[in-house]
């Protein structure tokens, strides 16, 4: 096993992006994403990374620039959080519809207001339907590994879609912990130089970003949806190849003690790690608790998910964002809809927790478990809210 | 001497909380200790209390060390060890909050440890880290110095590993000075164990921290006391001007001291103070209100006759 080194997770992220040998980095600083691009700008300035670093004037420009550079055949990277993503929104949809295989790290932070710089998933849930492949990671190693995996998936000519790597702001981005780094030659073996399927070039004229008349718009959208769904096996391939290389294996849904579990927590992101500790504590008390970590959010892994929760009586779905006026948290609502046509389906309890930086402890998860198994929980609640 | 504590599953874990002020390096302290542990093949996390850091404001950092991979992603509310980088914090925050009953308190202070001993604690330790930092590093940055005391108290991470971590982090010249400060602190740390403690010396600090953690009269309702249905629509603040109730003087690590003989009562300090902390007295002198002065030093900088000197805050005499 290679030696683990200690570093801030944001710096591990920047190190990985450097190893991906990106051609263009365009980003605008926003808390808590800042350290990643700061470090990348240093790499470019001191010659460690041969790339164009463009300090744009806004996130809208950052992503617009990446659309341009990616269209010209450059491996492009951007990174943002919260309001920055909101400002990018227009271009987020354009990127995927143009099938531009770039990678964005989204350091999750709540959307204002009230103004909050802390962590939750309201930013990413605001672009749920944007057509990007969306992944969640939960520790430094997963952040590091997924930089390579994300480009591998995105640039696969069977995929050609942009990828978002979601990781929790502060809880992960500002955490100092250990990570196993990879040698550049090993990374290059996994991630060869980018070969665009289409690229803008004066000698080979083509048009991108076209107009879609009503006569063809529906077909364009169907093609885009099919492309996202069809990316699934190629995502698995990219994970498999990485697992063979590094010994670290990733899956669309990751199960912890789910086999005989009656009540299963469903989490996205780093909260899954704490929830896992709660599951261990519940098991010690003789409760049949389990945990399912949803790593792949788009395309949603329906089959793998349904298989993993077979036999469970209750699902406690932890959402880190509110769907105002809706029937539950965004993830819980989706899971309910996925299970609706199943003959045997578990009760789905939608628990909103960890909004805007609120800590969720092992004790909190145990309390959720107790209220659900005692039949005291409602189908949808904001856990721990005062009043 | 602290060794790893065994958890229920046989796992061994040590949790440390660092109290400092923004800019003093509490986070660096936590990171260096975590780095040293990782270099020994252990698992470790170091992280700040998340949020914007303001120079001088009280800040907290955490370090969690384990023999096995760590999965907890929560703050440390019940630490085994509390480290206090700045003695002036003792009157501002209850540094002992949540500290385990058999825990250890390590304080940067010129006083002896019995001043800080609590009945429930295993050990209290003091080290005059500010003096060591001023002597060796030539500035009052106590983060690496305190690690010397921590290494002396805890066997979890070896001194050599901390030195390695410092050498990896700083350039050669800075590393050498920090290592020198670290070793001096290791040698000079005063440790008081529960069994060696005279009962009469136990009460004073208890009373003192009780006062520090008491809510001030007239303080606004804390955010953590609001129910959702008590908030105004849109979170509108209806009592405008309430900044007065936030005693930002807590952030101060340097204090403006006025020499009245030099003062010409021109009011330039009053004009430039960004916190409007200056008030004119009956004789026309401008005096600083310590409830609000953050110790930024702008008044001293702007005073045309050099009547204001900035002096370092000391730990309160009551301790």
């Amino acid at each position: 096993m290679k030696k683990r080194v200690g570093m801030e997770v944001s710096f591990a992220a920047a190190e990985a992006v450097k190893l991906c040998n990106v051609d263009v980095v365009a980003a605008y600083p926003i808390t808590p994403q800042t350290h990643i691009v700061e470090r990348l700008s240093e790499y470019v300035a001191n010659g460690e990374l041969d790339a164009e670093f463009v300090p744009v004037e806004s996130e809208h420009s950052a992503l617009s620039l990446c659309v341009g550079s990616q269209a010209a055949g450059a491996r492009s990277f951007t990174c943002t959080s919260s309001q920055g993503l909101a400002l990018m929104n227009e271009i987020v949809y354009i990127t995927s519809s143009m099938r531009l295989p770039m990678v964005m790290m989204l350091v999750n932070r709540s959307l204002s207001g009230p103004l909050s710089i802390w962590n939750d998933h309201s930013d990413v849930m605001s672009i749920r339907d944007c057509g990007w492949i969306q992944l969640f990671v939960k520790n430094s190693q997963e952040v590091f590994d997924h930089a390579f995996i994300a480009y591998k998936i995105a640039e696969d000519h069977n995929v050609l879609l942009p990828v978002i790597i979601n990781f929790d702001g502060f809880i992960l981005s500002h955490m100092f912990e250990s990570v196993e780094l990879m040698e550049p030659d090993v990374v290059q073996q996994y991630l060869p130089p980018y070969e665009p399927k289409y690229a803008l070039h004066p000698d080979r004229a083509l048009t991108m970003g076209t107009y879609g008349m009503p006569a063809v718009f529906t077909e364009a959208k169907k093609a885009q949806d099919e492309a996202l769904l069809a990316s699934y096996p190629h995502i698995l391939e990219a994970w498999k190849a990485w697992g063979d290389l590094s010994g670290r294996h990733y899956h669309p849904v990751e199960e912890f003690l789910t086999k005989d579990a009656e009540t299963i927590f469903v989490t996205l992101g780093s909260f899954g790690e704490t929830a896992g500790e709660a599951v261990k504590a519940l098991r010690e008390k003789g409760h049949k608790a389990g945990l399912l970590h949803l790593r792949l959010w788009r395309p949603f892994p329906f089959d793998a998910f349904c298989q993993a929760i077979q036999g469970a009586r209750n699902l406690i779905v932890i959402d880190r964002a509110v769907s105002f006026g809706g029937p539950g948290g965004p993830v819980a609502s989706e899971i309910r809809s996925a299970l609706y046509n199943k003959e045997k389906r578990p009760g789905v309890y939608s628990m909103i927790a960890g909004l805007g930086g609120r800590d969720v402890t092992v004790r909190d998860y145990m309390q959720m478990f107790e209220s659900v198994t005692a039949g005291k929980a409602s189908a949808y609640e904001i856990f721990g809210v005062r009043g | 001497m602290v060794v790893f504590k065994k958890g229920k599953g046989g796992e061994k874990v040590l949790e440390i909380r660092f109290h400092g002020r923004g800019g003093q390096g509490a986070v660096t302290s936590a990171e260096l200790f975590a780095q040293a542990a990782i270099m020994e093949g252990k698992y470790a996390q170091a992280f700040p209390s998340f949020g914007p850091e303001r120079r001088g404001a009280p800040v907290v950092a955490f370090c969690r060390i384990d023999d096995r991979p760590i999965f907890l992603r929560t703050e440390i509310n019940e630490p085994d060890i509390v480290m206090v980088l700045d003695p002036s914090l003792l009157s501002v925050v209850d540094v002992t909050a949540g500290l385990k009953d058999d825990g250890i308190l390590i304080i940067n202070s010129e006083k002896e440890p019995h001043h800080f001993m609590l009945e429930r604690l295993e050990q209290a330790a003091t080290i005059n880290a500010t003096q060591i930092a001023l002597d060796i590093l030539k500035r009052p940055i106590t983060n690496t110095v305190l690690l010397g005391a921590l290494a002396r108290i805890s066997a979890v991470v070896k001194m050599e590993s901390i030195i390695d971590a410092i050498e990896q982090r700083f350039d050669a010249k800075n590393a050498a000075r920090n290592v020198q400060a670290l070793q001096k602190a290791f040698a000079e740390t005063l440790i008081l164990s529960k069994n060696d403690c005279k009962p009469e010396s136990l009460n004073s600090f208890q009373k003192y921290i009780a006062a520090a953690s008491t809510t001030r009269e007239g303080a606004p309702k804390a955010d953590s006391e609001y129910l959702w249905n008590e908030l105004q629509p849109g979170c509108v603040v209806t009592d405008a001007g309430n900044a007065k109730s936030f005693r930002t003087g807590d952030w101060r690590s340097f204090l403006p001291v006025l020499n009245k003989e030099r003062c010409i009562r021109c009011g330039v300090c009053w004009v430039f103070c960004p916190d409007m902390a200056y008030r004119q007295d009956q004789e026309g002198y401008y005096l600083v209100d310590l409830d609000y002065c953050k110790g930024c030093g702008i008044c001293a900088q702007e005073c045309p006759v050099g009547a204001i000197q900035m002096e370092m805050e000391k730990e309160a005499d009551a301790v």
Side-chain angles (χ1 to χ4, degrees):
Chain A
M1 196 175 115
K2 301 250 305 262
K3 198 169 163 57
R4 290 179 294 112
V5 295
M7 64 170 73
E8 190 183 302
V9 176
S10 289
F11 296 157
E15 178 73 21
V17 173
K18 182 185 81 179
L19 286 171
C20 288
N21 203 13
V22 296
D23 301 310
V24 173
V25 178
Y28 189 83
I30 183 168
T31 302
Q33 150 267 34
T34 330
H35 290 178
I36 301 172
V37 277
E38 263 176 20
R39 187 50 71 95
L40 282 169
S41 73
E42 285 168 21
Y43 287 150
V44 174
N46 68 16
E48 278 184 71
L49 172 61
D50 179 17
E52 288 291 326
F53 183 92
V54 193
V56 285
E57 77 283 10
S58 77
E59 287 86 355
H60 188 280
S61 302
L63 191 54
S64 299
L65 191 139
C66 287
V67 164
S69 57
Q70 193 77 44
R75 184 176 282 167
S76 306
F77 176 79
T78 190
C79 185
T80 194
S81 297
S82 177
Q83 310 305 117
L85 179 73
L87 189 53
M88 275 181 185
N89 191 287
E90 179 189 1
I91 314 300
V92 171
Y93 284 71
I94 287 173
T95 310
S96 54
S97 68
M98 287 176 69
R99 307 282 301 274
L100 295 170
M102 74 177 74
V103 172
M104 181 197 310
M105 284 188 181
L106 182 56
V107 186
N108 301 123
R109 159 183 156 182
S110 50
L111 280 175
S112 295
L115 199 159
S116 166
I117 60 164
W118 290 270
N119 161 249
D120 67 28
H121 292 165
S122 51
D123 55 1
V124 56
M125 290 304 156
S126 78
I127 52 150
R128 189 189 62 175
D129 302 328
C130 68
W132 290 48
I133 291 169
Q134 300 183 43
L135 303 162
F136 279 85
V137 294
K138 59 186 189 303
N139 57 44
S140 188
Q141 193 67 58
E142 294 186 1
V143 171
F144 182 80
D145 289 355
H146 277 81
F148 319 117
I149 295 166
Y151 278 110
K152 181 85 167 173
I153 296 168
E155 294 171 1
D156 185 331
H157 284 200
N158 295 303
V159 178
L160 294 177
L161 283 167
V163 178
I164 289 174
I165 303 167
N166 285 284
F167 67 96
D168 286 315
F170 290 113
I171 294 174
L172 267 190
S173 64
H174 286 55
M175 174 67 67
F176 181 101
E177 65 183 34
S178 56
V179 59
E180 198 180 302
L181 302 177
M182 300 294 280
E183 294 301 327
D185 55 325
V186 180
V187 172
Q188 275 162 27
Q189 184 193 327
Y190 178 78
L191 184 67
Y194 173 42
E195 293 281 349
K197 185 173 171 69
Y198 302 110
L200 298 174
H201 194 281
D203 297 342
R204 299 179 295 278
L206 45 80
T207 297
M208 292 184 183
T210 51
Y211 190 61
M213 297 289 278
V216 75
F217 191 84
T218 304
E219 284 65 31
K221 289 291 127 181
K222 171 71 174 168
Q224 193 185 337
D225 190 35
E226 287 296 330
L228 186 54
L229 294 171
S231 68
Y232 187 76
H234 306 291
I235 297 169
L236 300 190
E237 277 168 24
W239 274 328
K240 171 79 169 57
W242 183 256
D244 292 345
L245 197 66
S246 68
R248 294 185 290 272
H249 302 276
Y250 298 112
H251 306 279
V253 293
E254 287 175 4
E255 300 170 53
F256 179 63
L257 303 174
T258 48
K259 289 284 170 272
D260 62 337
E262 289 174 0
T263 301
I264 298 177
F265 287 99
V266 180
T267 63
L268 283 74
S270 62
F271 272 37
E273 299 218 312
T274 311
E277 293 295 296
V279 166
K280 277 190 226 166
L282 287 162
R283 285 275 171 174
E284 274 170 27
K285 288 181 161 185
H287 298 294
K288 288 192 172 172
L291 169 68
L292 192 150
H293 172 66
L294 196 55
R295 178 179 303 287
L296 184 61
W297 171 232
R298 281 293 183 276
F300 192 95
F302 290 105
D303 292 339
F305 183 87
C306 291
Q307 193 154 2
I309 55 121
Q310 257 180 9
R313 213 178 286 168
N314 311 303
L315 298 184
I316 304 175
V317 182
I318 313 291
D319 257 294
R320 315 270 323 277
V322 182
S323 170
F324 301 106
V331 182
S333 298
E334 187 130 320
I335 286 171
R336 279 191 189 128
S337 121
L339 296 172
Y340 186 76
N341 289 327
K342 300 274 169 195
E343 268 178 37
K344 196 170 157 248
R345 51 180 187 260
V348 177
Y349 296 89
S350 173
M351 297 271 187
I352 310 284
L355 295 182
R358 180 76 58 91
D359 210 11
V360 181
T361 63
V362 169
R363 217 170 287 168
D364 290 329
Y365 289 109
M366 291 174 78
Q367 207 178 318
M368 292 178 202
F369 179 90
E370 278 154 27
S371 76
V372 165
T373 49
K376 287 179 189 158
S378 36
Y380 172 39
E381 63 181 84
I382 297 186
F383 177 82
V385 69
R386 290 185 301 274
Chain B
M1 194 174 259
V2 172
V3 289
F4 271 124
K5 289 179 193 261
K6 284 218 169 132
K8 274 186 208 144
E11 72 278 15
K12 295 170 177 177
V13 61
L14 179 72
E15 295 186 317
I16 308 169
R17 187 174 67 210
F18 296 78
H19 290 271
R21 291 183 179 277
Q24 285 179 337
V27 180
T28 307
S29 212
E31 288 187 357
L32 285 169
F33 204 66
Q35 180 72 289
I38 291 166
M39 284 169 144
E40 290 182 7
K42 296 184 173 70
Y43 291 83
Q45 296 176 329
F47 53 106
S49 177
F50 305 126
E53 187 174 283
R54 296 160 298 203
R55 188 161 282 269
V59 295
V60 179
F62 306 96
C63 181
R64 185 180 272 133
I65 295 174
D66 204 322
D67 271 355
R68 300 185 193 182
I70 301 171
F71 297 108
L72 280 177
R73 297 274 173 205
T74 57
E75 289 197 342
I76 293 170
N77 296 320
E78 292 174 0
D80 301 294
I81 297 177
V82 166
M83 311 272 295
V84 183
L85 275 70
D86 185 326
S88 70
L89 285 168
L90 296 170
S91 58
V92 179
V93 283
D94 176 6
V95 296
T96 66
L99 177 59
K100 284 198 182 114
D101 274 352
D102 52 355
I104 296 174
L105 187 59
I106 303 176
I107 294 184
N108 167 19
S109 171
E110 57 195 15
K111 298 197 169 77
E112 288 184 13
H114 69 83
H115 290 281
F116 307 102
M117 192 62 181
L118 299 180
E119 203 167 353
R120 64 190 180 86
L121 297 183
E122 188 66 36
Q123 284 179 326
T126 54
I127 176 71
N128 193 348
T130 305
Q131 194 58 53
I132 294 176
L134 287 172
D135 288 348
I136 298 175
L137 307 173
K138 310 295 177 201
R139 18 178 231 159
I141 304 283
T142 56
N143 53 0
T144 47
V145 188
L146 259 286
L147 290 180
L150 182 56
R152 174 81 177 275
I153 293 270
S154 161
V156 169
V157 174
K158 293 190 195 83
M159 189 69 168
E160 304 90 82
S161 311
I162 301 175
I163 292 172
D164 284 349
I166 289 174
E167 285 173 348
Q168 195 183 65
R169 179 124 181 174
F170 301 105
D171 62 45
K173 193 177 150 198
N174 266 318
R177 286 197 297 199
N178 275 287
V179 168
Q180 196 190 338
L182 175 87
Q183 284 167 332
K184 192 167 163 66
F186 184 88
E188 293 182 359
T189 299
L190 301 173
I191 302 168
L192 178 70
S193 291
K194 192 181 226 168
N195 301 337
D196 306 329
C197 187
K198 291 181 193 129
E200 63 268 23
S201 65
L202 283 172
N203 293 325
S204 66
F205 190 52
Q206 186 76 64
K207 277 184 202 151
Y208 187 76
I209 53 172
S213 56
T214 308
T215 312
R216 287 195 187 102
E217 209 174 307
K221 186 163 164 171
D223 283 359
S224 56
E225 290 171 4
Y226 278 95
L227 308 182
W228 70 265
N229 47 9
E230 289 173 343
L231 299 171
Q232 296 297 328
C235 297
V236 166
V237 177
T238 51
D239 55 337
N242 68 4
K244 214 192 282 180
S245 56
F246 292 99
R247 313 282 172 107
T248 46
D250 288 356
W251 304 8
R252 191 177 55 243
S253 43
F254 285 88
L255 175 76
V257 178
L258 176 70
N259 178 350
K260 273 196 179 177
E261 283 172 19
R262 279 197 177 182
C263 175
I264 55 170
R265 293 178 273 186
C266 63
V268 165
C269 52
W270 175 83
V271 170
F272 277 88
C273 176
D275 288 291
M276 293 177 279
Y278 272 97
R279 302 214 193 306
Q280 200 173 21
D281 72 2
Q282 301 227 321
E283 295 170 62
Y285 289 103
Y286 291 87
L287 303 178
V288 72
D289 185 338
L290 294 179
D291 279 349
Y292 303 107
C293 169
K294 293 175 188 157
C296 66
I298 290 173
C299 54
Q301 180 73 30
E302 295 297 336
C303 177
V305 293
I308 302 171
Q309 295 294 319
M310 297 304 291
E311 290 180 10
M312 201 161 51
E313 280 282 335
K314 291 248 165 50
E315 60 191 283
D317 288 335
V319 181

